[in-house]
Amino acid sequence: NAGVTQTPKFRVLKTGQSMTLLCAQDMNHEYMYWYRQDPGMGLRLIHYSVGEGTTAKGEVPDGYNVSRLKKQNFLLGLESAAPSQTSVYFCASSYLSGVTGELFFGEGSRLTVL
Amino acid sequence: AQSVTQLDSQVPVFEEAPVELRCNYSSSVSVYLFWYVQYPNQGLQLLLKYLSGSTLVKGINGFEAEFNKSQTSFHLRKPSVHISDTAEYFCAVSGPRSSASKIIFGSGTRLSIRP
């Protein structure tokens, strides 16, 4: 019962470095999302996908790119990391639109940019 | 535009005492409302949701919430808390006309239980 799995769980980067966070779900969900969580700000949507091969921008997309080449995977990329991107990143998936369907979250990936 | 406000950033309570976590929303259209819980070092999981029907919604672990349209509130309650309820709780709002991207989360309320 893996559910939603995120890798890596922790990462430290220097300013300007690049990295990719991987999210994998085994529930055959159509919808997948990337959020960032910052103290006192709740969760903010970065990008989302409503199906394989499709992506869309969320509330805070700048500095991030995503890809959904396979239904079960949703990748979040940082091309040139900045200290403002220090955060905890959560991937989520849902069968229906998250509006009425339950969101299933991964355990998070803590990223520190020095 | 929709928004959600969680009035308390932290709520300390003693074990076996009742608790209420407050959530107010702003919306000009009908809403769907959610409470999610985040245990330490874990992702969020759904506690309960209101889509339509009865305004009193029961969730997992003995929690319940009441949708109050006139007060635009969706407060979360539990009559007797346990140490294991220590977590951060997030209220969220969306609506029938919202797209997949339009779930708005509150800033969270950290519930700490004292023995």
Side-chain angles (χ1 to χ4, degrees):
Chain A
N1 295 338
V4 178
T5 304
Q6 294 180 226
T7 53
K9 289 186 169 42
F10 302 93
R11 186 73 187 270
V12 179
L13 290 178
K14 294 181 180 178
T15 297
Q17 288 185 318
S18 63
M19 75 159 294
T20 300
L21 297 177
L22 169 64
C23 176
Q25 53 95 4
D26 62 1
M27 296 173 283
N28 202 35
H29 285 169
E30 291 293 335
Y31 295 79
M32 296 187 75
Y33 315 80
W34 275 108
Y35 290 90
R36 61 178 288 173
Q37 182 181 32
D38 301 292
M41 300 187 73
L43 274 75
R44 293 181 292 170
L45 184 65
I46 305 170
H47 286 280
Y48 66 102
S49 168
V50 300
E52 181 178 318
T54 71
T55 63
K57 293 180 180 180
E59 180 186 355
V60 289
D62 294 342
Y64 305 95
N65 56 75
V66 289
S67 64
R68 184 116 181 254
L69 299 179
K70 293 183 179 181
K71 186 177 182 179
Q72 64 268 32
N73 295 337
F74 195 29
L75 278 64
L76 178 71
L78 285 72
E79 290 186 348
S80 180
S84 61
Q85 294 177 304
T86 293
S87 188
V88 180
Y89 292 86
F90 285 98
C91 177
S93 70
S94 67
Y95 174 61
L96 301 172
S97 163
V99 170
T100 55
E102 178 180 351
L103 292 176
F104 292 82
F105 285 84
E107 294 188 344
S109 298
R110 186 175 295 274
L111 174 65
T112 302
V113 183
L114 302 175
Chain B
Q2 294 173 326
S3 67
V4 59
T5 302
Q6 292 184 243
L7 298 165
D8 306 298
S9 59
Q10 295 189 61
V11 174
V13 295
F14 287 104
E15 193 172 15
E16 298 184 5
V19 69
E20 177 180 85
L21 306 183
R22 297 181 292 170
C23 173
N24 286 89
Y25 67 91
S26 173
S27 177
S28 59
V29 296
S30 55
V31 294
Y32 297 149
L33 293 156
F34 309 82
W35 275 101
Y36 280 82
V37 58
Q38 183 181 28
Y39 297 107
N41 300 313
Q42 295 186 25
L44 281 72
Q45 58 182 281
L46 184 68
L47 258 184
L48 49 78
K49 63 182 177 182
Y50 170 81
L51 303 181
S52 65
S54 173
T55 57
L56 184 63
V57 180
K58 294 189 183 297
I60 61 172
N61 301 336
F63 283 93
E64 63 181 31
E66 185 160 20
F67 170 58
N68 188 320
K69 188 174 181 179
S70 62
Q71 305 266 348
T72 61
S73 68
F74 191 56
H75 299 334
L76 181 69
R77 301 184 182 98
K78 186 169 182 178
S80 176
V81 295
H82 189 267
I83 289 285
S84 60
D85 294 322
T86 297
E88 190 155 18
Y89 293 79
F90 292 91
C91 183
V93 62
S94 67
R97 294 195 182 89
S98 299
S99 71
S101 65
K102 293 303 182 185
I103 301 172
I104 309 297
F105 285 87
S107 56
T109 298
R110 191 171 298 275
L111 178 63
S112 59
I113 312 297
R114 301 169 175 173

Short mmCIF file of all heavy atoms in Angstrom, two decimals, chain A residues 19-66:
data_model
loop_
_atom_site.label_atom_id
_atom_site.label_comp_id
_atom_site.label_asym_id
_atom_site.label_seq_id
_atom_site.Cartn_x
_atom_site.Cartn_y
_atom_site.Cartn_z
N MET A 19 17.65 20.58 -9.62
CA MET A 19 17.28 19.28 -9.09
C MET A 19 15.87 18.93 -9.55
O MET A 19 15.12 19.79 -10.02
CB MET A 19 17.35 19.25 -7.57
CG MET A 19 16.23 19.96 -6.87
SD MET A 19 16.02 19.40 -5.16
CE MET A 19 15.50 17.71 -5.40
N THR A 20 15.53 17.65 -9.39
CA THR A 20 14.20 17.16 -9.72
C THR A 20 13.65 16.36 -8.56
O THR A 20 14.34 15.50 -8.00
CB THR A 20 14.24 16.27 -10.97
OG1 THR A 20 14.74 17.03 -12.08
CG2 THR A 20 12.85 15.76 -11.31
N LEU A 21 12.41 16.66 -8.20
CA LEU A 21 11.68 15.87 -7.22
C LEU A 21 10.75 14.93 -7.97
O LEU A 21 10.06 15.34 -8.91
CB LEU A 21 10.85 16.76 -6.29
CG LEU A 21 11.61 17.75 -5.42
CD1 LEU A 21 10.62 18.61 -4.62
CD2 LEU A 21 12.56 17.03 -4.49
N LEU A 22 10.73 13.67 -7.54
CA LEU A 22 9.90 12.67 -8.20
C LEU A 22 8.72 12.30 -7.31
O LEU A 22 8.88 12.08 -6.12
CB LEU A 22 10.71 11.41 -8.50
CG LEU A 22 9.91 10.18 -8.96
CD1 LEU A 22 9.23 10.47 -10.30
CD2 LEU A 22 10.80 8.96 -9.04
N CYS A 23 7.56 12.25 -7.91
CA CYS A 23 6.36 11.79 -7.22
C CYS A 23 5.79 10.61 -7.99
O CYS A 23 5.62 10.69 -9.22
CB CYS A 23 5.32 12.90 -7.16
SG CYS A 23 3.75 12.40 -6.42
N ALA A 24 5.51 9.54 -7.28
CA ALA A 24 4.94 8.35 -7.90
C ALA A 24 3.71 7.91 -7.12
O ALA A 24 3.75 7.86 -5.89
CB ALA A 24 5.97 7.22 -7.94
N GLN A 25 2.63 7.60 -7.85
CA GLN A 25 1.41 7.10 -7.19
C GLN A 25 0.97 5.80 -7.87
O GLN A 25 1.08 5.65 -9.08
CB GLN A 25 0.30 8.15 -7.22
CG GLN A 25 -0.05 8.73 -8.57
CD GLN A 25 -1.20 8.05 -9.28
OE1 GLN A 25 -1.84 7.15 -8.74
NE2 GLN A 25 -1.49 8.49 -10.50
N ASP A 26 0.48 4.90 -7.02
CA ASP A 26 0.09 3.57 -7.52
C ASP A 26 -1.41 3.35 -7.43
O ASP A 26 -1.88 2.21 -7.36
CB ASP A 26 0.85 2.49 -6.76
CG ASP A 26 0.55 2.48 -5.26
OD1 ASP A 26 -0.28 3.31 -4.82
OD2 ASP A 26 1.15 1.66 -4.55
N MET A 27 -2.19 4.43 -7.41
CA MET A 27 -3.64 4.34 -7.26
C MET A 27 -4.38 4.60 -8.57
O MET A 27 -5.59 4.73 -8.59
CB MET A 27 -4.10 5.34 -6.19
CG MET A 27 -3.53 5.01 -4.81
SD MET A 27 -3.87 6.27 -3.56
CE MET A 27 -2.67 7.50 -4.01
N ASN A 28 -3.64 4.73 -9.65
CA ASN A 28 -4.23 4.97 -10.98
C ASN A 28 -5.02 6.29 -11.02
O ASN A 28 -6.02 6.40 -11.74
CB ASN A 28 -5.13 3.80 -11.41
CG ASN A 28 -5.32 3.76 -12.92
OD1 ASN A 28 -4.41 4.09 -13.69
ND2 ASN A 28 -6.49 3.35 -13.35
N HIS A 29 -4.57 7.27 -10.25
CA HIS A 29 -5.26 8.55 -10.22
C HIS A 29 -4.95 9.39 -11.46
O HIS A 29 -3.82 9.39 -11.95
CB HIS A 29 -4.86 9.34 -8.97
CG HIS A 29 -5.48 8.82 -7.72
ND1 HIS A 29 -5.09 9.23 -6.45
CD2 HIS A 29 -6.49 7.93 -7.53
CE1 HIS A 29 -5.83 8.62 -5.56
NE2 HIS A 29 -6.67 7.83 -6.18
N GLU A 30 -5.96 10.11 -11.92
CA GLU A 30 -5.77 10.99 -13.07
C GLU A 30 -5.08 12.29 -12.68
O GLU A 30 -4.26 12.82 -13.40
CB GLU A 30 -7.11 11.31 -13.72
CG GLU A 30 -7.78 10.14 -14.41
CD GLU A 30 -7.02 9.67 -15.65
OE1 GLU A 30 -6.28 10.49 -16.24
OE2 GLU A 30 -7.14 8.49 -16.01
N TYR A 31 -5.46 12.85 -11.53
CA TYR A 31 -5.02 14.17 -11.14
C TYR A 31 -3.82 14.09 -10.20
O TYR A 31 -3.80 13.28 -9.27
CB TYR A 31 -6.14 14.93 -10.41
CG TYR A 31 -7.34 15.25 -11.26
CD1 TYR A 31 -8.29 14.28 -11.54
CD2 TYR A 31 -7.51 16.52 -11.78
CE1 TYR A 31 -9.40 14.58 -12.32
CE2 TYR A 31 -8.62 16.83 -12.56
CZ TYR A 31 -9.56 15.85 -12.83
OH TYR A 31 -10.64 16.16 -13.60
N MET A 32 -2.84 14.94 -10.45
CA MET A 32 -1.68 15.03 -9.56
C MET A 32 -1.31 16.49 -9.37
O MET A 32 -1.56 17.33 -10.25
CB MET A 32 -0.49 14.23 -10.12
CG MET A 32 -0.77 12.73 -10.20
SD MET A 32 0.66 11.73 -10.65
CE MET A 32 1.61 11.76 -9.11
N TYR A 33 -0.72 16.78 -8.21
CA TYR A 33 -0.48 18.17 -7.81
C TYR A 33 0.88 18.28 -7.10
O TYR A 33 1.31 17.34 -6.43
CB TYR A 33 -1.54 18.64 -6.80
CG TYR A 33 -2.96 18.28 -7.15
CD1 TYR A 33 -3.46 17.01 -6.89
CD2 TYR A 33 -3.82 19.22 -7.72
CE1 TYR A 33 -4.77 16.67 -7.19
CE2 TYR A 33 -5.14 18.89 -8.03
CZ TYR A 33 -5.59 17.61 -7.75
OH TYR A 33 -6.89 17.29 -8.06
N TRP A 34 1.50 19.43 -7.22
CA TRP A 34 2.66 19.78 -6.40
C TRP A 34 2.33 21.03 -5.60
O TRP A 34 1.91 22.06 -6.16
CB TRP A 34 3.90 20.05 -7.25
CG TRP A 34 4.67 18.82 -7.61
CD1 TRP A 34 4.76 18.21 -8.83
CD2 TRP A 34 5.49 18.04 -6.72
NE1 TRP A 34 5.57 17.12 -8.76
CE2 TRP A 34 6.04 16.98 -7.48
CE3 TRP A 34 5.83 18.14 -5.37
CZ2 TRP A 34 6.89 16.03 -6.94
CZ3 TRP A 34 6.68 17.20 -4.83
CH2 TRP A 34 7.20 16.16 -5.61
N TYR A 35 2.50 20.93 -4.27
CA TYR A 35 2.30 22.06 -3.36
C TYR A 35 3.62 22.37 -2.65
O TYR A 35 4.48 21.51 -2.48
CB TYR A 35 1.28 21.71 -2.27
CG TYR A 35 -0.14 21.57 -2.73
CD1 TYR A 35 -0.65 20.34 -3.15
CD2 TYR A 35 -1.01 22.66 -2.70
CE1 TYR A 35 -1.98 20.21 -3.53
CE2 TYR A 35 -2.34 22.53 -3.10
CZ TYR A 35 -2.81 21.31 -3.50
OH TYR A 35 -4.11 21.19 -3.89
N ARG A 36 3.72 23.59 -2.18
CA ARG A 36 4.78 23.91 -1.24
C ARG A 36 4.14 24.42 0.06
O ARG A 36 3.08 25.06 0.04
CB ARG A 36 5.77 24.95 -1.80
CG ARG A 36 5.21 26.29 -2.16
CD ARG A 36 6.32 27.23 -2.65
NE ARG A 36 7.18 27.66 -1.54
CZ ARG A 36 8.29 28.38 -1.69
NH1 ARG A 36 8.70 28.74 -2.89
NH2 ARG A 36 9.02 28.73 -0.63
N GLN A 37 4.79 24.05 1.17
CA GLN A 37 4.27 24.43 2.49
C GLN A 37 5.31 25.27 3.20
O GLN A 37 6.43 24.83 3.42
CB GLN A 37 3.95 23.19 3.33
CG GLN A 37 3.36 23.52 4.68
CD GLN A 37 3.07 22.27 5.52
OE1 GLN A 37 3.76 21.27 5.42
NE2 GLN A 37 2.02 22.33 6.33
N ASP A 38 4.91 26.47 3.56
CA ASP A 38 5.78 27.39 4.28
C ASP A 38 5.10 27.79 5.58
O ASP A 38 3.87 27.91 5.62
CB ASP A 38 6.09 28.62 3.42
CG ASP A 38 6.75 28.23 2.12
OD1 ASP A 38 7.91 27.78 2.18
OD2 ASP A 38 6.12 28.35 1.05
N PRO A 39 5.87 28.02 6.64
CA PRO A 39 5.27 28.33 7.95
C PRO A 39 4.28 29.48 7.88
O PRO A 39 4.57 30.54 7.33
CB PRO A 39 6.50 28.70 8.79
CG PRO A 39 7.63 27.96 8.16
CD PRO A 39 7.34 27.98 6.68
N GLY A 40 3.09 29.25 8.44
CA GLY A 40 2.07 30.29 8.50
C GLY A 40 1.37 30.60 7.20
O GLY A 40 0.56 31.52 7.14
N MET A 41 1.67 29.82 6.15
CA MET A 41 1.08 30.12 4.84
C MET A 41 0.26 28.98 4.27
O MET A 41 -0.22 29.06 3.15
CB MET A 41 2.18 30.53 3.86
CG MET A 41 2.95 31.76 4.30
SD MET A 41 4.09 32.35 3.07
CE MET A 41 2.96 33.07 1.90
N GLY A 42 0.13 27.91 5.00
CA GLY A 42 -0.63 26.79 4.49
C GLY A 42 0.04 26.16 3.28
O GLY A 42 1.26 26.23 3.13
N LEU A 43 -0.75 25.57 2.41
CA LEU A 43 -0.23 24.95 1.20
C LEU A 43 -0.57 25.82 0.00
O LEU A 43 -1.69 26.30 -0.13
CB LEU A 43 -0.85 23.57 0.99
CG LEU A 43 -0.17 22.41 1.69
CD1 LEU A 43 -0.49 22.43 3.18
CD2 LEU A 43 -0.60 21.08 1.09
N ARG A 44 0.41 25.99 -0.86
CA ARG A 44 0.19 26.76 -2.09
C ARG A 44 0.51 25.88 -3.29
O ARG A 44 1.54 25.22 -3.33
CB ARG A 44 1.06 28.02 -2.10
CG ARG A 44 0.66 29.04 -1.03
CD ARG A 44 1.52 30.27 -1.09
NE ARG A 44 2.90 30.00 -0.71
CZ ARG A 44 3.90 30.85 -0.87
NH1 ARG A 44 3.70 32.00 -1.46
NH2 ARG A 44 5.12 30.52 -0.47
N LEU A 45 -0.40 25.90 -4.26
CA LEU A 45 -0.28 25.03 -5.43
C LEU A 45 0.75 25.59 -6.40
O LEU A 45 0.67 26.75 -6.82
CB LEU A 45 -1.64 24.89 -6.10
CG LEU A 45 -1.72 23.95 -7.28
CD1 LEU A 45 -1.45 22.51 -6.85
CD2 LEU A 45 -3.10 24.05 -7.94
N ILE A 46 1.69 24.73 -6.80
CA ILE A 46 2.74 25.15 -7.74
C ILE A 46 2.31 24.83 -9.18
O ILE A 46 2.21 25.72 -10.03
CB ILE A 46 4.08 24.44 -7.42
CG1 ILE A 46 4.49 24.68 -5.96
CG2 ILE A 46 5.17 24.94 -8.36
CD1 ILE A 46 5.67 23.84 -5.52
N HIS A 47 2.11 23.55 -9.44
CA HIS A 47 1.63 23.07 -10.74
C HIS A 47 0.73 21.88 -10.50
O HIS A 47 0.81 21.24 -9.45
CB HIS A 47 2.80 22.63 -11.64
CG HIS A 47 3.62 23.72 -12.22
ND1 HIS A 47 3.24 24.43 -13.33
CD2 HIS A 47 4.83 24.20 -11.85
CE1 HIS A 47 4.20 25.33 -13.64
NE2 HIS A 47 5.17 25.20 -12.75
N TYR A 48 -0.08 21.56 -11.50
CA TYR A 48 -0.90 20.38 -11.39
C TYR A 48 -1.09 19.74 -12.76
O TYR A 48 -0.72 20.33 -13.79
CB TYR A 48 -2.25 20.69 -10.74
CG TYR A 48 -3.16 21.60 -11.55
CD1 TYR A 48 -4.23 21.06 -12.28
CD2 TYR A 48 -2.98 22.97 -11.55
CE1 TYR A 48 -5.06 21.88 -13.01
CE2 TYR A 48 -3.82 23.79 -12.28
CZ TYR A 48 -4.86 23.26 -13.00
OH TYR A 48 -5.69 24.08 -13.72
N SER A 49 -1.65 18.54 -12.74
CA SER A 49 -1.86 17.80 -13.98
C SER A 49 -3.19 17.07 -13.90
O SER A 49 -3.50 16.45 -12.89
CB SER A 49 -0.73 16.79 -14.18
OG SER A 49 -1.04 15.88 -15.22
N VAL A 50 -3.96 17.16 -14.99
CA VAL A 50 -5.26 16.48 -15.01
C VAL A 50 -5.21 15.20 -15.82
O VAL A 50 -6.24 14.57 -16.07
CB VAL A 50 -6.38 17.41 -15.53
CG1 VAL A 50 -6.51 18.63 -14.63
CG2 VAL A 50 -6.14 17.82 -16.96
N GLY A 51 -4.02 14.80 -16.22
CA GLY A 51 -3.88 13.55 -16.94
C GLY A 51 -2.50 13.44 -17.56
O GLY A 51 -1.75 14.42 -17.65
N GLU A 52 -2.17 12.23 -18.01
CA GLU A 52 -0.87 11.99 -18.63
C GLU A 52 -0.65 12.95 -19.79
O GLU A 52 -1.53 13.15 -20.62
CB GLU A 52 -0.84 10.54 -19.14
CG GLU A 52 0.46 10.13 -19.79
CD GLU A 52 0.42 8.67 -20.22
OE1 GLU A 52 -0.08 7.83 -19.45
OE2 GLU A 52 0.89 8.38 -21.34
N GLY A 53 0.53 13.56 -19.80
CA GLY A 53 0.90 14.46 -20.88
C GLY A 53 0.39 15.88 -20.74
O GLY A 53 0.65 16.71 -21.61
N THR A 54 -0.34 16.17 -19.66
CA THR A 54 -0.88 17.52 -19.47
C THR A 54 -0.37 18.11 -18.17
O THR A 54 -0.25 17.41 -17.16
CB THR A 54 -2.41 17.54 -19.42
OG1 THR A 54 -2.85 16.95 -18.20
CG2 THR A 54 -3.01 16.78 -20.59
N THR A 55 -0.08 19.40 -18.17
CA THR A 55 0.29 20.12 -16.95
C THR A 55 -0.31 21.52 -17.01
O THR A 55 -0.62 22.03 -18.10
CB THR A 55 1.81 20.22 -16.76
OG1 THR A 55 2.36 20.99 -17.84
CG2 THR A 55 2.46 18.85 -16.71
N ALA A 56 -0.44 22.14 -15.85
CA ALA A 56 -0.97 23.50 -15.79
C ALA A 56 -0.37 24.22 -14.60
O ALA A 56 0.07 23.58 -13.63
CB ALA A 56 -2.50 23.47 -15.69
N LYS A 57 -0.36 25.54 -14.68
CA LYS A 57 0.22 26.35 -13.61
C LYS A 57 -0.77 26.52 -12.46
O LYS A 57 -1.97 26.66 -12.68
CB LYS A 57 0.61 27.72 -14.15
CG LYS A 57 1.75 27.68 -15.16
CD LYS A 57 2.09 29.07 -15.66
CE LYS A 57 3.24 29.02 -16.67
NZ LYS A 57 3.59 30.37 -17.17
N GLY A 58 -0.21 26.54 -11.26
CA GLY A 58 -1.01 26.83 -10.09
C GLY A 58 -0.81 28.25 -9.63
O GLY A 58 -0.57 29.16 -10.42
N GLU A 59 -0.82 28.42 -8.32
CA GLU A 59 -0.73 29.75 -7.72
C GLU A 59 0.67 30.34 -7.76
O GLU A 59 0.86 31.54 -7.96
CB GLU A 59 -1.23 29.66 -6.27
CG GLU A 59 -1.21 30.96 -5.50
CD GLU A 59 -1.57 30.74 -4.03
OE1 GLU A 59 -1.92 29.60 -3.64
OE2 GLU A 59 -1.50 31.71 -3.25
N VAL A 60 1.70 29.48 -7.58
CA VAL A 60 3.08 29.96 -7.47
C VAL A 60 4.01 29.16 -8.38
O VAL A 60 4.90 28.46 -7.92
CB VAL A 60 3.57 29.92 -6.00
CG1 VAL A 60 2.90 30.98 -5.17
CG2 VAL A 60 3.34 28.54 -5.38
N PRO A 61 3.87 29.27 -9.71
CA PRO A 61 4.63 28.42 -10.62
C PRO A 61 6.03 28.90 -10.97
O PRO A 61 6.84 28.12 -11.49
CB PRO A 61 3.76 28.44 -11.88
CG PRO A 61 3.15 29.82 -11.85
CD PRO A 61 2.90 30.12 -10.38
N ASP A 62 6.34 30.16 -10.69
CA ASP A 62 7.60 30.73 -11.16
C ASP A 62 8.80 30.03 -10.54
O ASP A 62 8.89 29.86 -9.33
CB ASP A 62 7.66 32.24 -10.86
CG ASP A 62 6.62 33.01 -11.66
OD1 ASP A 62 6.11 32.46 -12.66
OD2 ASP A 62 6.31 34.15 -11.28
N GLY A 63 9.77 29.67 -11.40
CA GLY A 63 10.99 29.02 -10.94
C GLY A 63 10.90 27.51 -10.93
O GLY A 63 11.87 26.83 -10.59
N TYR A 64 9.75 26.96 -11.32
CA TYR A 64 9.52 25.52 -11.31
C TYR A 64 9.04 25.06 -12.69
O TYR A 64 8.36 25.79 -13.39
CB TYR A 64 8.46 25.12 -10.29
CG TYR A 64 8.72 25.57 -8.88
CD1 TYR A 64 8.16 26.76 -8.42
CD2 TYR A 64 9.51 24.82 -8.01
CE1 TYR A 64 8.37 27.19 -7.11
CE2 TYR A 64 9.72 25.23 -6.72
CZ TYR A 64 9.16 26.42 -6.28
OH TYR A 64 9.38 26.84 -4.99
N ASN A 65 9.39 23.82 -13.04
CA ASN A 65 8.81 23.19 -14.21
C ASN A 65 8.37 21.78 -13.83
O ASN A 65 8.85 21.20 -12.84
CB ASN A 65 9.80 23.16 -15.38
CG ASN A 65 11.10 22.47 -15.01
OD1 ASN A 65 11.16 21.24 -14.91
ND2 ASN A 65 12.14 23.24 -14.77
N VAL A 66 7.43 21.24 -14.58
CA VAL A 66 6.89 19.91 -14.27
C VAL A 66 6.74 19.11 -15.55
O VAL A 66 6.69 19.66 -16.65
CB VAL A 66 5.52 19.99 -13.56
CG1 VAL A 66 5.65 20.49 -12.13
CG2 VAL A 66 4.54 20.84 -14.35
#
